[in-house]
Amino acid sequence: TYLMTLMAHDKSKGYVSNIEGYTPLFYLAFPKFTKWLIESSLPDVRPMDNVLMGADEPTEEEYTIGTFTPYGYYTGFIFPRNFDLYSKFLTFKGMPKHREKWKKAYYYMTQLLTFGHKGKQLFLKNPTTTYRIPDILEMYPNAKFIHTYRNPYKVYSSTVKFFEEVFAIYTLQTWDNERMKQDILDNYNLLYEKLEEDLHLIPKENIVHSKYEDFIKHPVKSLKNIYDKLNIGGWDGAKKYIEAYAKSQLKDYKPNVHVIDDDVILRVNEHWDKMRKDYGYEKLKPKSK
């Protein structure tokens, strides 16, 4: 989220704001009303991590797809008892007709965004893209990718907190907390299986791998490196805005502190050990025997 928010300060690019993300089918026709509607509906900050939730703050296009199709993975936050169904829409395995319908919807969405941003290059942030690399490349052969990765123990702890906070606000059903945790473990495993399977499809000059722990120490320098490696223009014009925002975060933002207890350690060691090894993170041992 921090990476995407920094990139959104590049005024020569377009991105999915909360306005576009949640009201894609009418925000262009009623911009003032839509902004009022979104600002009236959103909390000041996201409940799970205290990130600003203003109308112009960036969001993920997965929410956008979910507003006018059944294929948004995050619709599972509203109907958690059907979470397995929405998880099938991550890869569309054995669902060719649904895959084609999703592709048409995704293309339509990017056309709306491109029109709304007057033809600017789009920055899009969506973890579920990792499951759909072949489809994205079929539609956009020159797409560029930024793959961020993070300590799996913190990823799991953060994701559980995210799901619990979001379910508590948005769900229209009760949910099984244990099943929810297993879904997180299973879907993240599938994400890295798909990444490993499809990574060779992306030309090396069109992908950057960014380690969260390095990025968070030097965000502006890391983002400059991403621009250079992916040959993204516009850095000189965007630099002052990006630097100003990064400085404001050092002063004003306090990130969550995640508790890595034995339950987290045991689950990650059992389910995500390969990913931990592949990305060079130390294996933790539970404190109690």
Side-chain angles (χ1 to χ4, degrees):
T1 300
Y2 184 32
L3 170 62
M4 183 63 230
T5 306
L6 283 177
M7 295 175 74
H9 283 76
D10 181 347
K11 300 180 186 300
S12 68
K13 309 298 189 300
Y15 66 95
V16 183
S17 70
N18 282 316
I19 293 176
E20 297 152 320
Y22 297 118
T23 58
L25 300 185
F26 62 85
Y27 78 94
L28 288 172
F30 309 101
K32 291 183 179 179
F33 168 74
T34 305
K35 187 164 187 175
W36 170 84
L37 179 66
I38 293 297
E39 289 181 341
S40 301
S41 304
L42 292 175
D44 292 335
V45 296
R46 302 196 315 188
M48 58 283 195
D49 55 14
N50 297 316
V51 171
L52 286 176
M53 275 288 282
D56 296 318
E57 297 299 320
T59 191
E60 298 170 11
E61 75 266 22
E62 194 69 13
Y63 294 107
T64 313
I65 290 292
T67 65
F68 66 97
T69 81
Y71 303 124
Y73 170 62
Y74 296 151
T75 308
F77 296 159
I78 303 172
F79 305 108
R81 293 179 193 170
N82 296 329
F83 203 81
D84 287 348
L85 169 64
Y86 297 111
S87 293
K88 291 179 181 179
F89 297 147
L90 291 170
T91 64
F92 295 98
K93 185 177 181 180
M95 308 171 75
K97 291 183 179 179
H98 291 290
R99 182 192 300 275
E100 290 306 311
K101 289 180 179 179
W102 170 83
K103 285 163 65 176
K104 287 180 181 179
Y106 195 91
Y107 183 80
Y108 174 68
M109 177 199 68
T110 57
Q111 294 302 295
L112 277 177
L113 291 168
T114 301
F115 179 80
H117 286 280
K118 298 179 171 46
K120 293 178 181 178
Q121 182 180 11
L122 297 177
F123 285 153
L124 303 174
K125 179 241 179 184
N126 192 4
T128 59
T129 295
T130 315
Y131 299 93
R132 303 162 181 160
I133 289 172
D135 301 307
I136 295 294
L137 289 174
E138 183 181 332
M139 292 187 285
Y140 308 103
N142 296 318
K144 301 174 189 287
F145 296 83
I146 304 168
H147 165 227
T148 61
Y149 59 97
R150 187 182 186 185
N151 184 307
Y153 300 102
K154 292 187 177 180
V155 168
Y156 176 73
S157 181
S158 172
T159 307
V160 169
K161 177 178 174 59
F162 169 71
F163 272 51
E164 288 176 341
E165 295 280 359
V166 170
F167 278 14
I169 296 173
Y170 294 115
T171 185
L172 297 177
Q173 300 172 332
T174 57
W175 70 93
D176 184 317
N177 219 46
E178 189 61 30
R179 182 177 175 183
M180 177 265 288
K181 291 178 179 179
Q182 190 59 47
D183 284 337
I184 291 170
L185 293 165
D186 292 342
N187 286 344
Y188 202 65
N189 261 337
L190 179 60
L191 181 145
Y192 273 95
E193 286 174 11
K194 286 293 295 175
L195 180 62
E196 191 173 305
E197 177 183 331
D198 298 329
L199 196 58
H200 72 282
L201 299 174
I202 306 173
K204 290 184 178 179
E205 66 271 18
N206 284 351
I207 185 168
V208 169
H209 302 275
S210 177
K211 186 176 182 179
Y212 170 85
E213 290 81 2
D214 293 338
F215 173 81
I216 210 70
K217 290 178 183 176
H218 306 286
V220 177
K221 180 180 178 182
S222 297
L223 186 53
K224 171 65 163 59
N225 184 54
I226 289 170
Y227 268 65
D228 289 344
K229 285 189 175 182
L230 293 180
N231 195 27
I232 300 173
W235 176 259
D236 289 341
K239 181 181 176 182
K240 64 179 181 180
Y241 301 107
I242 291 170
E243 287 182 335
Y245 182 78
K247 287 179 181 177
S248 74
Q249 292 302 284
L250 286 174
K251 181 174 63 175
D252 299 331
Y253 180 70
K254 290 182 173 55
N256 285 331
V257 177
H258 299 293
V259 178
I260 311 301
D261 58 21
D262 282 359
D263 180 66
V264 171
I265 293 170
L266 289 169
R267 290 176 191 264
V268 170
N269 287 350
E270 180 180 356
H271 295 277
W272 294 353
D273 202 49
K274 183 181 184 303
M275 192 277 284
R276 178 198 60 76
K277 289 178 183 176
D278 289 347
Y279 288 91
Y281 288 99
E282 179 185 359
K283 185 173 186 175
L284 301 181
K285 295 181 180 179
K287 296 174 184 177
S288 60
K289 295 184 179 180

